[in-house]
Amino acid sequence: MYTTSWCGYCVRLKSQLKRAGIGFREVNIEHEPRAAEIVERVNDGNQTVPTLVFSDGSALTNPSVVQVSRRLDELAA
């Protein structure tokens, strides 16, 4: 999950994912320039967070925990 330290949406999604038992790795784009480039690439040049990039290269920007869960289920199938 690509985040920033000030993003309220990131805090909310991290909390929801933890409650749902969905693991994730957090990367703060303010501290990782290459991470910011990835976020820009999947968001038409914008540094919009939270952005999640999945194992197949697909991405969701500011998703709900339900959307994340569905995407993970699709990848597991």
Side-chain angles (χ1 to χ4, degrees), residues 53-74:
V53 178
F54 297 90
S55 60
D56 68 345
S58 64
L60 291 173
T61 302
N62 197 17
S64 69
V65 69
V66 171
Q67 289 172 306
V68 174
S69 181
R70 283 184 190 149
R71 186 68 193 122
L72 291 171
D73 287 346
E74 290 168 358

Side-chain angles (χ1 to χ4, degrees), residues 1-8 10-11 14 24-39 47-51:
M1 174 189 304
Y2 295 97
T3 67
T4 62
S5 57
W6 48 265
C7 172
C10 299
V11 171
K14 288 186 288 186
F24 61 92
R25 184 173 68 92
E26 182 178 1
V27 179
N28 187 321
I29 67 170
E30 294 173 310
H31 303 140
E32 302 283 337
R34 289 188 175 216
E37 293 170 9
I38 293 167
V39 170
Q47 290 187 2
T48 308
V49 290
T51 294

